[in-house]
Amino acid sequence: QVQLVESGGGLVQAGGSLRLSCAASGRTFSSIVMGWFRQAPGKEREFVAAISRSGGNTYYADSVKGRFTISRDNAKNTVYLQMNSLIPEDTAGYYCAAGVSGVRVGVPADYGYWGQGTQVTVSS
């Protein structure tokens, strides 16, 4: 079992920045692939970013590449999503996810554990 708790969401103006955090517990953090997904009202959950167990490999959706940065601190059991140059289209609930094995980073079904989500709202 893995428990995930996100924090850091909020309301920000377009062009601004936010940093999301996701604290994990219940399993050796360095054994878990971590991802961030988002879901806007009326839309499907979409992949945002993922990071390998060691942090050596990162993956991004085209829509956020160059603006968002995923990182992890295995000593603190925490994964981060630094979001810069935010645009109104980034408005969504953001969810942290953990995958143990056989993870295709962009596929929600491959992540076995999810946080409760944190809302990000970007005003124009």
Side-chain angles (χ1 to χ4, degrees):
Q1 286 283 55
V2 179
Q3 293 78 43
L4 302 170
V5 179
E6 300 103 330
S7 61
L11 173 65
V12 64
Q13 288 188 330
S17 298
L18 283 173
R19 188 175 82 153
L20 305 183
S21 299
C22 173
S25 61
R27 191 180 181 102
T28 303
F29 187 63
S30 59
S31 69
I32 306 168
V33 173
M34 298 299 298
W36 286 96
F37 290 78
R38 66 187 182 186
Q39 187 167 19
K43 294 188 176 182
E44 292 187 355
R45 189 164 295 191
E46 66 170 352
F47 170 72
V48 175
I51 188 166
S52 63
R53 295 172 178 83
S54 68
N57 294 295
T58 56
Y59 311 87
Y60 297 95
D62 288 343
S63 58
V64 307
K65 205 170 292 185
R67 300 188 298 123
F68 290 12
T69 302
I70 189 171
S71 62
R72 67 190 295 161
D73 185 337
N74 285 352
K76 295 183 178 180
N77 292 353
T78 302
V79 63
Y80 305 97
L81 185 68
Q82 177 66 44
M83 306 185 294
N84 298 329
S85 302
L86 285 160
I87 59 178
E89 290 76 15
D90 294 321
T91 296
Y94 281 71
Y95 297 86
C96 173
V100 174
S101 63
V103 180
R104 292 165 291 178
V105 294
V107 179
D110 284 0
Y111 292 81
Y113 304 95
W114 293 83
Q116 82 288 352
T118 186
Q119 179 66 32
V120 171
T121 302
V122 184
S123 63
S124 57

